[in-house]
Amino acid sequence: MTEDEYLSHMRKEDKFLSVVTVVIYYGEKAWDGAKDLHGVLNIPDEIKPFVGNYPMHLVEVVNNTLQFKNADNRDLFQLLNLVYNASLDKKQRLEKTQEYEDSHTVDEDVVRALVATNNIKIEKTKRKGRLKVCTLFEENGYDERY
């Protein structure tokens, strides 16, 4: 290492890892807010050119057209879409979620991610066997979400 590299703890060929921020919006209504940093800041026009503008990568659960290769991601978004589908009544949401779970092997981490979006406490359940979305919603009194 050169003296400068030693002081910065970086060699010339070292690179930073990029960070991408993605907002997953699972509301029932379409997103109508800002989609970039400038949209959420009150910046005077004369200063705007000096303030970096970062886009917000928005994924709307109920209106997404994403194509996932990873089965866990596919399952998560399919289940989120079913849970928040306002065009279905409560009973239909529960039935369709159950049908999806019965026809797919949904990883328990996917179920945990899904219930976390609904503030369901997993540790309160007295389950036996596989962790399932429908069972958790019913046991925690969250069938009203459906």
Side-chain angles (χ1 to χ4, degrees), residues 73-119:
N73 291 335
R74 255 192 325 268
D75 290 342
L76 176 61
F77 279 91
Q78 285 292 95
L79 288 166
L80 281 168
N81 197 350
L82 290 171
V83 169
Y84 288 98
N85 188 337
S87 68
L88 302 174
D89 64 28
K90 294 174 193 177
K91 185 178 179 186
Q92 290 172 315
R93 291 181 197 194
L94 185 57
E95 287 171 357
K96 290 201 177 283
T97 303
Q98 184 65 55
E99 287 171 15
Y100 189 90
E101 284 189 295
D102 290 344
S103 63
H104 296 78
T105 305
V106 179
D107 187 271
E108 288 194 10
D109 287 338
V110 171
V111 177
R112 284 185 179 86
L114 179 66
V115 298
T117 66
N118 290 276
N119 295 321

Side-chain angles (χ1 to χ4, degrees), residues 17 25 44 51 61 70 72 77 81-83 85 120-121 123 132:
L17 295 175
Y25 173 67
V51 178
V61 171
N70 180 291
D72 290 344
F77 279 91
N81 197 350
L82 290 171
V83 169
N85 188 337
I120 293 174
K121 306 292 185 222
E123 62 271 6
K132 295 191 78 166

Side-chain angles (χ1 to χ4, degrees), residues 9 11 20 29-30 41 45-46 64 66-67 78-79 86 89 93 100 102 107 109 112 118 130 134-135 137 142:
H9 297 281
R11 293 187 170 94
V20 177
K29 297 178 183 173
L41 297 175
D45 288 337
E46 60 273 8
N64 80 72
L66 300 171
Q67 299 294 318
Q78 285 292 95
L79 288 166
D89 64 28
R93 291 181 197 194
Y100 189 90
D102 290 344
D107 187 271
D109 287 338
R112 284 185 179 86
N118 290 276
R130 243 177 103 54
C134 294
T135 307
F137 276 68
Y142 278 78

Side-chain angles (χ1 to χ4, degrees), residues 38 43 45-53:
H38 282 187
I43 308 168
D45 288 337
E46 60 273 8
I47 298 176
K48 221 175 224 183
F50 304 104
V51 178
N53 192 19

Side-chain angles (χ1 to χ4, degrees), residues 13-80:
E13 61 274 3
D14 290 346
K15 303 291 180 208
F16 288 114
L17 295 175
S18 58
V19 175
V20 177
T21 303
V22 177
V23 173
I24 301 173
Y25 173 67
Y26 50 91
E28 293 179 7
K29 297 178 183 173
W31 179 269
D32 64 352
K35 293 184 181 175
D36 62 21
L37 184 61
H38 282 187
V40 296
L41 297 175
N42 187 12
I43 308 168
D45 288 337
E46 60 273 8
I47 298 176
K48 221 175 224 183
F50 304 104
V51 178
N53 192 19
Y54 303 98
M56 179 180 72
H57 303 286
L58 176 69
V59 176
E60 291 187 72
V61 171
V62 293
N63 293 319
N64 80 72
T65 56
L66 300 171
Q67 299 294 318
F68 293 106
K69 292 181 182 177
N70 180 291
D72 290 344
N73 291 335
R74 255 192 325 268
D75 290 342
L76 176 61
F77 279 91
Q78 285 292 95
L79 288 166
L80 281 168

